[in-house]
Amino acid sequence: MKYYILNRGDQYSQELTQTFKTLARQRGLIWDQEEPDIVVTVGGDGTMLQAFHTFSDQLDRLAFVGIHTGHLGFYADWKPSELHQLVERMSDPDTRLEQHVVKYPIAEVQINRIDESLTYYALNELTLRGIHATLVVQLNVNDQRFETFRGDGICISTPSGSTAYNKSAGGAIIHPSLETIQIAEIASINNKVYRSLGSSMILPKHHHCDLYPKANQKILLSIDHLKFEYDDIISIRAMVGDKKVRFARFRPFPFWNRVKEAFIGDGE
């Protein structure tokens, strides 16, 4: 099995990376930076997002697995003390990667500017915010005008990203077996001029939404950890992507157990 490893960059994560490489070499795993079968991340969810975007052109063939050294590793299945166990699972000759892969939906984001069109995939979310003033944007759903939003911003999340910024914005947590995107308002302003729904919306696969920012408005566009400043966006389209992200689950870790462990814990 071929693997690549990416770490958060702090000393502890770098030390764990070297330990993992040593164990992997001893067990016959092959280091491959170009076309790995598995991408291992050492760090937190931010490290997983970085890995996702680094290999976004190979999502149909590789899988991700995370080792948690951050404060909240929602995507990470393994603890630093379990490196030996993970390497053993990956190097077991009876291991068939496809038998351990789960697939989560992601969001496809199409950005139309005055002079170019761009396409990105988001693992967690797309957010749109005003920089020097409140955001003003027209929201269409399936090519029909739905509302004109004014406020701090809009967050469009995937099911796996529903536990991130979307949750802080009051959105619902969605199980990643459901192929959806969720639109959540960030501090909307409602008056007789601007009136928005005031609650999150969930769109199924094959539906889409379009955002039309007010002309010449300077906005901050974030796609996961990537941030861009634009003042010439014509429209942004978001929908459930035609690709999925693949995670290698070498042991059971049900989604709702992750949610409970991350946000509630074991305390009574």
Side-chain angles (χ1 to χ4, degrees):
M1 185 177 291
K2 298 181 297 181
Y3 80 97
Y4 177 67
I5 189 165
L6 188 149
N7 67 70
R8 188 170 55 180
D10 61 285
Q11 183 177 349
Y12 183 45
S13 296
Q14 290 177 350
E15 291 173 353
L16 287 175
T17 297
Q18 293 305 315
T19 300
F20 186 95
K21 286 182 176 181
T22 299
L23 295 172
R25 185 169 55 252
Q26 293 171 352
R27 297 283 297 191
L29 294 176
I30 302 170
W31 169 272
D32 189 328
Q33 187 172 351
E34 301 301 324
E35 295 185 345
D37 300 308
I38 291 183
V39 175
V40 181
T41 64
V42 182
D45 286 345
T47 313
M48 182 63 74
L49 293 176
Q50 182 182 351
F52 170 83
H53 285 274
T54 299
F55 290 93
S56 61
D57 60 338
Q58 300 186 50
L59 296 179
D60 58 342
R61 54 163 302 277
L62 58 76
F64 299 90
V65 64
I67 300 167
H68 173 243
T69 63
H71 297 293
L72 181 61
F74 199 85
Y75 286 117
D77 292 356
W78 300 85
K79 299 176 182 179
S81 60
E82 299 173 320
L83 288 187
H84 287 79
Q85 188 177 350
L86 174 57
V87 172
E88 287 178 1
R89 297 286 180 87
M90 290 174 57
S91 60
D92 188 332
D94 294 328
T95 295
R96 299 292 180 266
L97 181 58
E98 291 302 319
Q99 297 177 354
H100 299 279
V101 165
V102 298
K103 301 177 182 179
Y104 286 0
I106 57 178
E108 181 176 341
V109 182
Q110 299 173 358
I111 305 168
N112 293 310
R113 302 175 63 198
I114 292 176
D115 57 356
E116 67 175 346
S117 295
L118 305 168
T119 299
Y120 289 91
Y121 289 93
L123 177 57
N124 267 4
E125 75 271 306
L126 150 78
T127 60
L128 195 66
R129 304 180 70 104
I131 294 180
H132 300 305
T134 55
L135 178 71
V136 178
V137 60
Q138 178 182 318
L139 171 65
N140 288 16
V141 177
N142 294 339
D143 303 317
Q144 298 292 318
R145 181 168 182 164
F146 186 81
E147 66 181 21
T148 298
F149 170 88
R150 182 180 181 185
D152 280 0
I154 289 180
C155 173
I156 301 177
S157 66
T158 67
S160 53
S162 67
T163 58
Y165 197 174
N166 167 79
K167 182 177 181 296
S168 299
I173 294 179
I174 305 295
H175 194 281
S177 64
L178 303 176
E179 296 184 87
T180 66
I181 57 172
Q182 181 171 185
I183 308 168
E185 299 179 359
I186 306 170
S188 62
I189 298 173
N190 284 293
N191 53 36
K192 65 181 181 180
V193 179
Y194 296 99
R195 178 66 57 184
S196 59
L197 186 63
S199 64
S200 63
M201 299 170 58
I202 298 171
L203 302 185
K205 191 175 183 180
H206 307 308
H207 286 211
H208 63 270
C209 67
D210 294 299
L211 304 173
Y212 297 90
K214 182 180 178 182
N216 301 318
Q217 182 174 201
K218 192 167 186 179
I219 61 175
L220 175 64
L221 172 64
S222 300
I223 300 173
D224 293 333
H225 66 299
L226 306 175
K227 299 184 184 300
F228 311 93
E229 292 186 7
Y230 295 123
D231 60 4
D232 62 350
I233 288 183
I234 299 173
S235 66
I236 300 171
R237 172 166 292 192
M239 68 193 93
V240 176
D242 58 356
K243 302 180 180 181
K244 289 188 175 182
V245 63
R246 294 153 45 94
F247 291 105
R249 301 284 190 237
F250 293 111
R251 60 184 180 185
F253 198 170
F255 176 76
W256 295 117
N257 288 14
R258 291 174 185 271
V259 173
K260 181 176 184 296
E261 182 175 298
F263 298 113
I264 299 174
D266 295 325
E268 296 295 333

